[in-house]
Amino acid sequence: MRILMVEDDEGHAQFVMQGLKQAGHNVDRAKDGMEGLFLATEEKYDVMIVDRMLPKLDGLAIIETLRKSGNQTPVLVLSSLSKVEERIKGLRAGSDDYLTKPFEFGELLARLEALARRATPAEAERTVLRVGDLEVNLLTREVQRAGQKITLQAKEFQLLEFLMRREGQVVTRTMLLEGVWDFHFNPNTNLIDAQMSKLRIKVDKPFGTPLIKTIKGAGYKISADDA
């Protein structure tokens, strides 16, 4: 998932972000309400975590503004305000869930995953991705092609999953940097080329027919078609 966290407390934000990244998710963070609203408007996220009390713009004001503009990204509100009437305010402002502090990280993660499933049920229910004779099981993280098991490193798996979810589409280097590495700048290295080469050696080279194509001047795509 690509997640936006709007949280001004540095220690709390770092704790949650570290856990989310270890779980394999990409996280952007805004330190105040105005920055959070800007990112939520300019970027596309699978789910948002919004603190209730923020500098410059209150968390509920962010949600109300997004909903009025038609933005329906699922939002989980975090707050130390635990009274029932406060939770009701949060939900009526347009949030999808409300979690009070302190909380267990495992519960936060489970709630985020549930929100993402409800937002995109068809995609979330896909547990197996297939392109030609290549198959990726997202639950067991097993990869095989033509019945032969392929062992991938964590980043190689993320890269392959990113490509396969966009079968037949051209995926740019910027999309890969943001979606797989969570970089919002070009690190000026051959990072993508090196990882793509490793992936191709495992996924394509032993099988004769390449599935991963280089689209000159544009990026890459994965497809069982010759073109």
Side-chain angles (χ1 to χ4, degrees):
M1 290 186 292
R2 190 177 183 204
I3 302 168
L4 172 62
M5 182 172 194
V6 189
E7 171 64 71
D8 61 317
D9 186 289
E10 188 69 27
H12 179 72
Q14 292 302 322
F15 167 74
V16 173
M17 291 173 65
Q18 181 180 5
L20 292 172
K21 289 180 179 180
Q22 288 176 348
H25 304 300
N26 293 327
V27 189
D28 290 343
R29 179 200 169 194
K31 298 181 180 181
D32 61 62
M34 291 301 295
E35 183 184 8
L37 180 60
F38 174 78
L39 287 175
T41 303
E42 294 296 314
E43 303 287 343
K44 182 174 176 58
Y45 296 97
D46 298 305
V47 66
M48 294 172 54
I49 305 169
V50 177
D51 187 35
R52 174 69 186 273
M53 295 181 289
L54 292 163
K56 297 186 180 180
L57 187 66
D58 177 76
L60 299 191
I62 294 175
I63 300 168
E64 290 173 340
T65 302
L66 291 174
R67 297 301 184 242
K68 288 178 181 178
S69 69
N71 187 316
Q72 296 302 315
T73 302
V75 177
L76 170 68
V77 170
L78 290 181
S79 178
S80 56
L81 303 175
S82 58
K83 291 184 179 180
V84 173
E85 54 265 32
E86 296 298 337
R87 297 200 296 271
I88 291 173
K89 286 181 183 178
L91 295 170
R92 285 182 171 169
S95 70
D96 300 273
D97 201 354
Y98 193 105
L99 185 61
T100 57
K101 303 175 182 178
F103 55 86
E104 294 290 335
F105 178 77
E107 180 180 5
L108 170 67
L109 182 58
R111 286 174 181 248
L112 292 175
E113 291 170 345
L115 289 178
R117 284 197 299 271
R118 290 205 296 268
T120 54
E123 178 65 18
E125 288 172 5
R126 292 181 66 194
T127 59
V128 178
L129 304 176
R130 294 185 180 88
V131 176
D133 57 355
L134 177 64
E135 180 177 297
V136 172
N137 189 309
L138 300 177
L139 296 180
T140 63
R141 300 183 74 81
E142 293 179 344
V143 180
Q144 62 177 12
R145 183 169 179 187
Q148 181 177 327
K149 185 177 179 179
I150 301 172
T151 302
L152 298 180
Q153 299 297 318
K155 192 58 68 176
E156 294 167 351
F157 186 93
Q158 284 183 265
L159 179 57
L160 181 60
E161 179 186 351
F162 192 89
L163 290 170
M164 291 183 72
R165 285 190 182 277
R166 295 157 182 80
E167 178 187 1
Q169 301 177 27
V170 176
V171 177
T172 67
R173 297 173 67 86
T174 298
M175 291 169 65
L176 290 170
L177 285 170
E178 293 185 349
V180 179
W181 281 272
D182 199 23
F183 288 165
H184 299 284
F185 62 94
N186 190 335
N188 294 318
T189 70
N190 64 345
L191 176 67
I192 294 177
D193 296 333
Q195 285 291 341
M196 195 68 74
S197 177
K198 292 179 181 178
L199 184 62
R200 282 170 153 165
I201 288 172
K202 295 180 178 181
V203 169
D204 280 343
K205 189 174 181 179
F207 302 95
T209 304
L211 296 176
I212 301 172
K213 284 91 171 175
T214 299
I215 309 301
K216 189 174 181 180
Y220 303 89
K221 77 172 180 178
I222 190 167
S223 171
D225 299 331
D226 293 335

